[in-house]
Amino acid sequence: MTLETVTPATQSDLIDPFGRHITYVRVSVTDRCDFRCVYCMAEDMTFLPKRDLLTLEELDRLCSAFVARGVRKLRITGGEPLVRKNIMWLFRALSRHLGSGALKELTLTTNGSQLSRFAEELSDCGVRRVNISLDTLDPDKFKAITRWGDYDKVMAGIDAAQDAGLHVKINAVALKGVNEHEYDEMIRWAHGRGMDLTLIETMPLGEIDGDRTDQYLPLSIVRARLLDDWTLTDIPYKTGGPARYVEVAETGGRIGFITPMTHNFCESCNRVRVTCTGTLYMCLGQEDAADLRAPLRASESDEPLQRAIDEAIERKPKGHDFVIDRRTHTPAVSRHMSVTGG
Ligand code: SAM
Ligand code: SF4
C-alpha cells in the first residue's frame, strides 16, 4: 500500500485497538547520562552518534504533533534530559502549549544533578512537578549505585527544585540487599519535606554488568514489610502514570508503587514513548516500534508524520510480559531504559 492510498491524517484523538486513549507521551531527549546506575547502564556504554539524534526543533515538532492529537501530558526524560545541550530551549518552546491550554502538564524525570542550574527556569517554563530519582539516602551507597553520581549535588538539586516551587516526587528503584532496609527512613525524609515517594520494581531492560535476579525485589514484599510500621490506606490518587498510591496515616504523605513485574498495569496504559532518534515505542516492554524521524524529515507538512503516528497506534499491543527469574537470562527487551526513557 502506498502512502497516497492511506486515508489522510485527521486531527482526531489517538485511540488504540483496545480503546485506550493515548494522552501521555514520554520523550527521551538524549541517551547520554552523567551517571551510570547499575540497574540501568553498563559502566562502559556506547552512545548514539549525535547526528542520529533529532534536533531540538524536530523534537518540538514531534511533541507538538502529539499535542495536536489530544496528548495532554508530556514527560521529558532520557538518559539524563538536563545534560542535553540547550535543553531549556525545548522546555521554553513546549511551554506555548501550556499557555494555549492544549497541554495540561509538561514535566520531567531527572537524576537531579543539574537542577541547581535549571530549577528556576523550568518553573518559569510552566513545569510544576518533577520526578527526581534517588535510591538511597546513604552517600556511599549512592556512589555504589550511580557509580558516577555526586550525592551533594543531587541534594542541592532537590533543594533548588523545592525553592523554585516545583512539586518533587522521589522515585526509588527497589534493590534487593541494597536499599531494601532504607524505605522507612526514606518515607520519613521525603514526607517530612512534603514529597511523595514512589518505589519501582527493576525491569529487565538492556544488558547490564550484573545479574538482575540479584537486584530484583518484588514490591509485594516491600509493602507487606511496611505494614509493620506504617498504616497504609489505598487511595485513588492518580498522576497519569502507572503508580498505585497509598496514604501513610503517620505522615500524611503518599507512597506510590510501580509494579510492572508483580502486577501488570497494561489495561489502563495511556502512554507511548519516543526516543531521541524519533523511534516510537508503543510499549516499554515490547520490541515493536515505528520510525517517526523519516516522515518528520520527509516533509515540512506534518501529514506523513501524523499518518505514521496513526499506523503505529493501531499496533499498540495489549501489554508486556516481563520475567525475571533464574532461567531467564536475556533481558525482555534489548534496549536500555535510558534509550526508551523511564
Ligand atoms: N536520568 C533520569 C533519572 O534517572 O531520573 C531519567 C531517565 S531514567 C532511565 C528514569 C527512571 O528509570 C529512573 O527513575 C530510573 O531509576 C529508572 N530505571 C532505569 N533503569 C531501570 C530498570 N531497569 N528498571 C526499573 N527502573 C529503571
Ligand atoms: Fe542515568 Fe537515570 Fe539511567 Fe541512572 S537511571 S544511569 S541517572 S539514565
Side-chain angles (χ1 to χ4, degrees):
M1 188 163 53
T2 63
L3 276 185
E4 284 69 35
T5 61
V6 176
T7 333
T10 64
Q11 295 299 297
S12 58
D13 286 358
L14 297 170
I15 303 175
D16 80 359
F18 304 96
R20 295 171 298 192
H21 284 245
I22 308 307
T23 55
Y24 181 4
V25 177
R26 293 184 167 220
V27 187
S28 174
V29 295
T30 176
D31 62 331
R32 291 167 196 254
C33 188
D34 51 345
F35 291 7
R36 288 289 181 279
C37 303
V38 289
Y39 49 76
C40 179
M41 292 191 185
E43 184 149 25
D44 184 19
M45 293 284 289
T46 309
F47 293 111
L48 294 163
K50 291 223 167 92
R51 63 176 180 278
D52 286 358
L53 301 197
L54 296 185
T55 64
L56 293 174
E57 289 80 1
E58 287 171 332
L59 282 165
D60 175 42
R61 223 181 114 198
L62 191 60
C63 292
S64 302
F66 277 104
V67 173
R69 301 297 303 279
V71 164
R72 295 284 165 264
K73 176 169 173 176
L74 284 176
R75 178 175 296 280
I76 308 300
T77 177
E80 174 46 44
L82 297 182
V83 301
R84 170 105 193 223
K85 201 168 160 205
N86 214 9
I87 189 63
M88 284 303 134
W89 181 90
L90 182 63
F91 280 98
R92 183 72 60 193
L94 292 174
S95 71
R96 73 185 182 283
H97 299 304
L98 291 170
S100 75
L103 190 64
K104 279 213 185 97
E105 183 165 27
L106 175 61
T107 184
L108 74 154
T109 302
T110 172
N111 64 24
S113 68
Q114 309 299 315
L115 274 175
S116 295
R117 268 164 79 199
F118 292 129
E120 279 290 344
E121 208 174 336
L122 286 167
S123 168
D124 203 46
C125 291
V127 173
R128 295 289 165 261
R129 298 192 301 159
V130 52
N131 288 358
I132 304 180
S133 305
L134 179 75
D135 303 321
T136 177
L137 291 172
D138 174 332
D140 293 332
K141 260 190 223 170
F142 180 85
K143 192 91 212 161
I145 294 170
T146 63
R147 293 194 184 106
W148 296 2
D150 179 335
Y151 181 81
D152 293 334
K153 229 168 141 186
V154 171
M155 284 296 153
I158 295 172
D159 290 342
Q162 291 199 299
D163 289 347
L166 301 176
H167 289 279
V168 176
K169 180 162 77 72
I170 300 293
N171 282 349
V173 175
L175 297 166
K176 188 162 74 181
V178 179
N179 63 4
E180 67 176 307
H181 299 297
E182 270 199 74
Y183 307 133
D184 291 335
E185 190 190 346
M186 290 182 80
I187 291 168
R188 270 190 290 273
W189 171 78
H191 291 182
R193 295 181 56 140
M195 307 185 292
D196 289 343
L197 173 70
T198 293
L199 300 174
I200 307 173
E201 284 175 348
T202 51
M203 289 173 258
L205 301 175
E207 293 288 352
I208 53 168
D209 295 333
D211 179 353
R212 286 191 196 277
T213 34
D214 293 342
Q215 301 176 349
Y216 174 54
L217 173 63
L219 288 184
S220 47
I221 295 180
V222 174
R223 191 181 161 131
R225 284 186 198 156
L226 290 177
L227 285 171
D228 289 342
D229 293 296
W230 308 96
T231 315
L232 308 181
T233 310
D234 288 310
I235 50 170
Y237 178 73
K238 281 265 156 221
T239 57
R244 291 154 176 264
Y245 282 89
V246 296
E247 194 170 79
V248 181
E250 289 78 3
T251 62
R254 287 183 287 248
I255 308 175
F257 295 94
I258 300 187
T259 54
M261 308 302 299
T262 52
H263 178 270
N264 203 307
F265 44 60
C266 301
E267 69 278 3
S268 59
C269 181
N270 60 350
R271 72 195 47 204
V272 291
R273 294 173 154 87
V274 188
T275 70
C276 52
T277 56
T279 305
L280 175 68
Y281 284 100
M282 289 72 86
C283 173
L284 179 65
Q286 303 277 359
E287 298 283 4
D288 189 26
D291 174 31
L292 299 183
R293 187 176 56 186
L296 183 78
R297 289 183 175 169
S299 164
E300 279 181 21
S301 150
D302 280 349
E303 204 158 302
L305 173 64
Q306 291 292 8
R307 265 200 297 260
I309 292 174
D310 277 324
E311 283 168 15
I313 298 301
E314 277 168 24
R315 301 205 308 270
K316 185 167 161 63
K318 198 165 180 198
H320 65 239
D321 190 17
F322 289 142
V323 182
I324 295 183
D325 64 27
R326 296 262 165 221
R327 279 163 293 147
T328 312
H329 286 294
T330 42
V333 291
S334 55
R335 62 187 188 277
H336 289 90
M337 187 77 151
S338 51
V339 172
T340 335

